[in-house]
């Protein structure tokens, strides 16, 4: 938190190196140590592109100039083929004439990478999910996705995705008597759902897939129904659009979100069933997935079952009887 470039670089490097070599018990102790997660989130928030652009020049005043004469090494985690692997990135020597913002921005990205990989761990993911400051910073970063670095936005989104399965948004209600200025630095249910909407409506595949996956996990927690069910109805047409027109991975993410709603809420069954193109999009997804039975196929089949067995969708379902029968009798299935 010092703002001194060399100190921040060495601290990030030390944390990442320790975390990569630590056993489960040591990782839990690291995440529970007071101030560690908050310090990483602080760097992530204050050393990112949008914040640096807003405060251009101020970091030159409060940052030691001596670090620019040495070669700083940052080592961090990255997720490669579902494995946490060790990698290192060498920051090249920077001259006074070089862009300060792009140099400092790397520290925000590095901090986000460490938090992201800690959030993936089975024992530390829940600890991060309960840290409202870390989640708030992740939300603030995604809010700036139009102008923020794509890698940092992805890391922030992945932190929210890892936390979503543990998240009970009812705990985010302001306590009686809290002043508006006390609430402002923290994320609210509304801001979280707004970020999810930003991601889902994005035309960038990585972003709308993340949004769909976050929404799917939030919808599975009964305590979130007060906010998520209404929000799901608002996003129904966009989810169906992705299911119908997106890439294979985008369609799988969209049907994952739809499945989470339709399996737990009868109102959502009616809402999605009445949307134009929902049944045809599901049948098309089943046809596409028929050669390789994967998530897109089996979740589309489950959603189709939920919709078709709801009496309020009976008239719409009847018009697709022939297509459903053909799929049911297909040797592939």
């Amino acid at each position: 938190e010092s703002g001194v470039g060399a100190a921040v670089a060495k601290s990030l490097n030390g944390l990442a190196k320790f975390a990569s070599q630590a056993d489960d018990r040591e990782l839990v102790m690291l995440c529970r140590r007071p101030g560690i997660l908050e310090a990483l989130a602080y760097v992530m928030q204050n050393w990112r592109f949008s914040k640096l652009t807003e405060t251009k020049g101020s970091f030159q005043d409060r940052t030691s100039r001596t670090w620019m004469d040495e070669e700083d090494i940052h080592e961090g985690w990255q997720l490669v083929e579902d494995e946490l692997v060790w990698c290192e990135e060498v920051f090249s020597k920077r001259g006074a004439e070089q862009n300060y913002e792009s140099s400092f921005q790397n520290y925000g990205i590095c901090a986000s990478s460490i938090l992201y990989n800690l959030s993936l761990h089975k024992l530390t993911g829940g600890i991060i999910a309960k840290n409202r400051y870390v989640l708030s910073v992740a939300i603030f970063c995604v809010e700036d996705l139009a102008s923020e670095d794509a890698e940092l936005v992805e890391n922030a989104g992945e932190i929210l995705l890892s936390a979503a399965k543990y998240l009970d948004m009812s705990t985010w209600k302001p306590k009686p008597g809290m002043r508006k200025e006390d609430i402002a630095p923290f994320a609210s249910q509304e801001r979280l759902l707004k970020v999810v909407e930003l991601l889902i409506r994005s035309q960038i595949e990585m972003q709308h897939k993340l949004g769909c996956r976050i929404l799917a996990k939030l919808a599975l927690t009964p305590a979130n129904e007060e906010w998520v069910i209404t929000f799901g109805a608002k996003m129904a047409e966009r989810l169906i659009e992705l299911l119908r027109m997106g890439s294979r991975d985008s369609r799988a993410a969209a049907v994952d979100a739809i499945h989470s709603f339709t399996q737990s809420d009868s109102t959502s069954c009616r809402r999605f069933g009445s949307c134009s193109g929902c049944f045809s999009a599901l049948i098309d997804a089943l046809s596409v997935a028929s050669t390789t039975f994967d998530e897109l196929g089996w979740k589309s089949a489950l959603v189709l079952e939920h919709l078709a067995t709801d009496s309020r969708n009976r008239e719409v379902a009847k018009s697709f009887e022939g297509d459903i029968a053909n799929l049911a009798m297909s040797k592939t299935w």
Side-chain angles (χ1 to χ4, degrees):
E1 297 178 352
S2 65
V4 179
V8 173
K10 288 178 171 60
S11 297
L12 288 171
N13 183 64
L15 275 173
K17 187 172 183 179
F18 170 79
S20 71
Q21 299 171 354
D23 58 26
D24 290 351
R25 177 177 170 276
E26 290 169 334
L27 279 178
V28 170
M29 290 178 65
L30 174 68
C31 288
R32 287 180 174 170
R33 190 167 184 85
I36 289 290
L37 298 179
E38 290 80 3
L40 285 167
Y42 177 87
V43 174
M44 180 178 168
Q45 166 70 352
N46 290 282
W47 293 60
R48 60 190 178 96
F49 182 78
S50 298
K51 298 295 273 186
L52 291 169
T53 303
E54 291 171 10
T55 58
K56 187 173 182 180
S58 61
F59 274 85
Q60 296 181 36
D61 299 330
R62 50 187 277 236
T63 303
S64 168
R65 297 294 293 273
T66 57
W67 71 280
M68 291 167 46
D69 299 325
E70 62 182 358
E71 189 171 50
D72 294 321
I73 298 178
H74 162 72
E75 298 177 354
W77 292 336
Q78 287 184 356
L79 189 67
V80 179
E81 296 179 351
D82 297 325
E83 295 290 338
L84 291 177
V85 298
W86 188 243
C87 67
E88 60 179 41
E89 175 186 348
V90 179
F91 289 161
S92 58
K93 291 183 179 179
R94 310 168 182 87
E97 74 284 353
Q98 288 184 308
N99 187 311
Y100 279 90
E101 285 79 2
S102 63
S103 300
F104 290 137
Q105 183 189 4
N106 285 318
Y107 298 127
I109 295 171
C110 294
S112 72
S113 295
I114 296 172
L115 283 171
Y116 163 37
N117 285 284
L118 286 172
S119 75
L120 293 174
H121 195 278
K122 60 184 179 181
L123 296 179
T124 57
I127 298 173
I128 290 178
K130 293 177 182 178
N131 191 309
R132 192 170 173 186
Y133 179 61
V134 172
L135 298 187
S136 298
V137 168
I139 288 171
F140 301 155
C141 291
V142 179
E143 283 179 337
D144 294 329
L145 62 83
S147 57
E148 191 53 78
D149 177 83
E151 184 180 354
L152 188 139
V153 170
E154 182 175 3
N155 287 341
E158 292 284 0
I159 291 169
L160 294 176
L161 176 59
S162 298
K165 63 182 176 181
Y166 304 102
L167 198 57
D168 177 355
M169 291 196 294
S170 65
T171 62
W172 286 12
K173 288 182 178 179
K175 296 179 181 178
M178 284 187 72
R179 298 174 301 171
K180 187 175 181 180
E181 55 267 32
D182 294 330
I183 301 171
F186 296 99
S188 61
Q189 300 94 336
E190 291 77 14
R191 288 185 82 162
L192 174 59
L193 293 178
K194 185 179 178 181
V195 157
V196 174
E197 181 175 359
L198 278 174
L199 289 169
I200 292 176
R201 294 196 185 280
S202 171
Q203 297 303 310
I204 299 173
E205 182 177 342
M206 176 275 294
Q207 293 178 358
H208 60 238
K209 284 194 301 183
L210 264 177
C212 291
R213 297 294 187 184
I214 294 171
L215 184 57
K217 283 186 166 53
L218 289 175
L220 293 176
T221 303
N224 295 332
E225 287 184 1
E226 178 183 346
W227 300 274
V228 176
I229 297 301
T230 303
F231 179 75
K234 177 183 176 182
M235 299 305 300
E237 291 185 1
R238 173 58 175 165
L239 292 173
I240 293 169
E241 179 187 357
L242 289 173
L243 178 59
R244 185 172 58 247
M245 301 176 60
S247 68
R248 188 183 186 84
D249 288 343
S250 295
R251 296 172 86 175
V255 81
D256 184 27
I258 297 171
H259 174 255
S260 294
F261 283 103
T262 57
Q263 75 169 338
S264 58
D265 179 64
S266 59
T267 304
S268 294
C269 278
R270 172 59 181 154
R271 179 72 182 97
F272 281 97
S274 63
C275 282
S276 175
C278 184
F279 274 89
S280 59
L282 288 166
I283 290 169
D284 182 58
L286 279 165
S287 302
V288 170
S290 62
T291 53
T292 54
F293 191 71
D294 55 13
E295 181 187 25
L296 177 60
W298 63 267
K299 283 195 175 175
S300 294
L302 287 172
V303 173
L304 193 59
E305 179 189 9
H306 293 149
L307 298 184
T309 53
D310 190 308
S311 58
R312 294 166 296 181
N313 294 326
R314 190 164 296 163
E315 291 303 315
V316 180
K318 279 183 178 179
S319 61
F320 293 96
E321 274 184 336
D323 295 317
I324 296 173
N326 287 335
L327 284 170
M329 293 185 289
S330 170
K331 291 182 180 180
T332 305
W333 293 94

